[in-house]
Amino acid sequence: VLVGHDPGKLWHVSLFLKAFAVRGEPGFSWYVVGEESTRQATIEQHVANVVTRARNDWGVNLLNRHDKPVDGGPTMLVRADPYSESSSSDTSPDRGVYVTWRRAGVAIHPAAYVANATKLHVGRIPKEGGIDMVCRLFCSAGATRRLYVACDEQRTPSALKLVESIESMERDEAGRAEMERKDVYDRSHWTAALRYGLWAI
């Protein structure tokens, strides 16, 4: 299971994604199969919620009878908002978010890297590039669709807040995206988590 994660001060949001080969179509398609949204809670509580859900719903990151990770068992991978190397940055998560996921036994990596000759550095995801990627996956200029939100038998989306976010997000009068006030009603966390999950792939 691939998880896109957007940490925040008011909301922590994680989306669960799975890739499937669709008969008659080249390559594979991504399906958002669930979401976990935690309002005004610690990152530790959010991670605990995500891990519990992943174990119960998809059988990943399971523990044996000694409360140790099952050797060679299926796991989830989290791709998250790239952290800031600068302690003065207030818009990016710090390494503590990553440490919390790793302490819970979950593999987590920044959504973007920049390579140099000696090592990988945390990169950034351009907002416009990320939005364009998601739009292209939902429906390209050639009408190819590679990204879906799964529904149950009653056509209820598995990620309702993501669907609400996609349907309600609009650019402002200057053409800028995600410029809404950052309060509990801000819906940009869900679309951001989707970008973080898929960007590296």
Side-chain angles (χ1 to χ4, degrees):
V1 176
L2 175 65
V3 177
H5 174 61
D6 182 36
K9 295 177 184 69
L10 298 174
W11 286 98
H12 294 294
V13 173
S14 294
L15 300 177
F16 300 92
L17 298 110
K18 295 193 89 173
F20 294 95
V22 178
R23 190 176 311 190
E25 294 182 15
F28 56 88
S29 296
W30 286 102
Y31 286 78
V32 181
V33 294
E35 68 187 358
E36 188 67 38
S37 307
T38 312
R39 180 177 167 184
Q40 293 181 319
T42 64
I43 185 64
E44 186 178 35
Q45 182 60 58
H46 178 74
V47 170
N49 293 351
V50 170
V51 170
T52 299
R53 175 99 184 268
R55 286 178 179 149
N56 293 341
D57 292 1
W58 297 287
V60 298
N61 289 72
L62 297 175
L63 300 176
N64 62 24
R65 58 192 175 103
H66 303 293
D67 284 336
K68 302 290 183 197
V70 173
D71 235 7
T75 61
M76 65 178 144
L77 169 65
V78 177
R79 290 283 186 176
D81 187 358
Y83 59 81
S84 172
E85 295 286 356
S86 164
S87 59
S88 63
S89 174
D90 202 32
T91 58
S92 299
D94 62 30
R95 288 180 188 258
V97 169
Y98 286 68
V99 169
T100 303
W101 282 97
R102 289 178 181 136
R103 282 188 180 151
V106 178
I108 181 172
H109 298 291
Y113 287 105
V114 176
N116 69 12
T118 56
K119 62 180 180 176
L120 292 173
H121 293 280
V122 174
R124 60 176 284 279
I125 298 175
K127 187 189 297 182
E128 290 299 328
I131 292 169
D132 189 53
M133 173 198 70
V134 168
C135 290
R136 187 173 60 248
L137 287 171
F138 273 127
C139 187
S140 72
T144 301
R145 299 177 188 276
R146 304 274 305 277
L147 177 59
Y148 303 88
V149 176
C151 295
D152 64 17
E153 293 79 9
Q154 287 76 42
R155 306 286 297 159
T156 302
S158 61
L160 188 57
K161 286 188 180 301
L162 172 64
V163 171
E164 290 172 355
S165 173
I166 292 166
E167 290 179 342
S168 66
M169 298 297 286
E170 294 182 352
R171 294 179 183 275
D172 67 9
E173 57 280 352
R176 298 172 301 180
E178 297 183 359
M179 298 304 293
E180 292 84 3
R181 184 176 167 182
K182 298 298 181 186
D183 58 18
V184 293
Y185 305 107
D186 174 22
R187 297 184 188 273
S188 66
H189 301 290
W190 290 268
T191 48
L194 186 58
R195 294 196 304 267
Y196 299 147
L198 294 172
W199 181 259
I201 299 165

